[in-house]
Amino acid sequence: MTTGVPIGKAAKRSGVKVPTIRYYEQIGLLTAPARSDGNRRHYDASDLHRLSFIRHARELGFEIDAIRTLLALQDDPNQPCATADGIAKARLADVEQRIRSLSALKTELQAMIEGCSHGRVAACRVIEVLADHGQCLHAGH
Amino acid sequence: MTTGVPIGKAAKRSGVKVPTIRYYEQIGLLTAPARSDGNRRHYDASDLHRLSFIRHARELGFEIDAIRTLLALQDDPNQPCATADGIAKARLADVEQRIRSLSALKTELQAMIEGCSHGRVAACRVIEVLADHGQCLHAGH
DNA sequence: CTACATCCTCTAGCAACTAGAGGAGCAAGC
DNA sequence: GCTTGCTCCTCTAGTTGCTAGAGGATGTAG
């Protein structure tokens, strides 16, 4: 039987960096793994699974606290999944909101760049638009 | 003649919160304004203009350092605006990238939520998808 | 003149890591 | 057995862009 992999391999397999793994342990997101004689962390399959779960959730933009809740849910499969559903829905709403404002920004930045005649700053719309909020194409911010 | 407005009014007019204004002064983004007898900051029109400029740039997602550069450009209008243009272009590329990845996340979150049958966690697609990266709709992360 | 709002400085905290110091363990080659 | 060099350990402090609070001074309205 294998004792599990050291932190470096766990990092490579899960895609979470070594110091970040230790950080997750420190804040209690990850339970402390077994240690070898030489005091080194050794991660087994379930630890790696959990790490991948965390990484994936982080990539999707879930906050640490939300992940904490999701992990707790995962450990107790008989609970109704309304909580998980709610967390995902809140995240979706957030993502949609961000896309909306970023799209507005994009339009404005494009207009700025087009307006810039590549002359002097005095005639540059980048500065001008930023200095005078009233010139914004989108009032939404 | 007016001596300028105190920090609270400056905050209201510019949309930048009081502690944030002080913070900007502290990090040298904003030059220290005049002080009254009682040691209170008083902001004049040009200070307010600058504050609005900063607020707007922050809303557009510019980093403090980029804003510092933009402010320096604004103070020296005879410089070529290629720098400001470059900063705006970099920001545009960044914004576009963010929109792309957020759109991918949105699709994935929607699929997760739709797949959730509102039953038990054991059958919850939100948890399931998070746990198994292979189920992702988008491999880009 | 007394409330009460606003202001001052200073320090510490937030998320979510990242970087570095200083030291110990371990595996491989000679 | 020994050295080389990589990985690992703990600990502290730094990052970005603020935000919160303590403890005190000042300005203003009734």
Side-chain angles (χ1 to χ4, degrees):
Chain A
M1 60 172 260
T2 49
T3 334
V5 297
I7 198 166
K9 279 218 169 69
K12 250 168 216 146
R13 296 223 187 132
S14 65
V16 181
K17 287 183 206 151
V18 169
T20 308
I21 296 176
R22 285 197 278 247
Y23 167 72
Y24 286 160
E25 184 184 327
Q26 192 195 307
I27 62 167
L29 189 62
L30 216 58
T31 51
R35 296 279 183 135
S36 74
D37 285 358
N39 197 33
R40 292 167 173 221
R41 292 168 180 87
H42 278 262
Y43 297 89
D44 63 21
S46 89
D47 291 327
L48 292 175
H49 191 247
R50 204 162 251 255
L51 255 182
S52 298
F53 183 102
I54 294 170
R55 181 194 141 216
H56 194 187
R58 285 297 296 139
E59 277 168 350
L60 288 174
F62 289 92
E63 288 177 7
I64 298 283
D65 255 16
I67 296 174
R68 224 184 275 273
T69 311
L70 289 170
L71 281 170
L73 287 173
Q74 200 189 21
D75 287 343
D76 190 355
N78 282 331
Q79 289 203 333
C81 77
T83 310
D85 192 48
I87 291 170
K89 275 187 178 145
R91 181 69 199 129
L92 177 61
D94 182 37
V95 165
E96 281 172 340
Q97 176 52 48
R98 266 187 226 202
I99 289 173
R100 268 195 299 278
S101 46
L102 281 175
S103 299
L105 297 194
K106 183 184 160 183
T107 312
E108 192 165 331
L109 282 168
Q110 279 171 333
M112 277 172 152
I113 289 163
E114 267 167 44
C116 178
S117 54
H118 302 278
R120 303 280 145 186
V121 171
C124 183
R125 270 191 48 94
V126 172
I127 297 285
E128 205 179 316
V129 171
L130 283 173
D132 183 2
H133 199 177
Q135 290 194 23
C136 278
L137 299 173
H138 299 271
H141 62 267
Chain B
M1 60 172 261
T2 49
T3 335
V5 296
I7 198 166
K9 277 217 170 68
K12 250 169 216 146
R13 296 223 187 131
S14 67
V16 181
K17 288 181 204 153
V18 169
T20 307
I21 296 177
R22 286 198 278 247
Y23 167 72
Y24 286 160
E25 184 185 326
Q26 193 195 307
I27 63 168
L29 189 62
L30 217 58
T31 51
R35 297 278 184 136
S36 73
D37 285 357
N39 196 33
R40 287 162 177 225
R41 292 169 180 86
H42 278 263
Y43 296 88
D44 62 21
S46 90
D47 291 328
L48 292 175
H49 190 246
R50 202 164 252 255
L51 255 183
S52 298
F53 180 101
I54 294 169
R55 180 194 143 216
H56 194 186
R58 286 296 297 142
E59 278 170 349
L60 286 173
F62 289 93
E63 287 176 8
I64 298 284
D65 256 14
I67 297 174
R68 226 184 274 274
T69 312
L70 289 169
L71 281 170
L73 287 173
Q74 200 190 20
D75 287 343
D76 190 357
N78 283 330
Q79 289 200 336
C81 77
T83 312
D85 191 49
I87 291 170
K89 274 186 178 147
R91 201 95 293 268
L92 177 61
D94 181 37
V95 164
E96 281 172 341
Q97 176 53 48
R98 273 198 238 178
I99 289 173
R100 268 195 300 279
S101 51
L102 281 176
S103 298
L105 294 194
K106 182 182 162 185
T107 311
E108 191 163 334
L109 284 168
Q110 279 172 331
M112 269 166 122
I113 290 164
E114 267 166 42
C116 178
S117 52
H118 306 279
R120 304 277 144 189
V121 169
C124 181
R125 268 205 39 97
V126 172
I127 297 283
E128 201 181 320
V129 172
L130 283 172
D132 183 2
H133 197 178
Q135 292 192 27
C136 279
L137 299 173
H138 299 269
H141 63 266

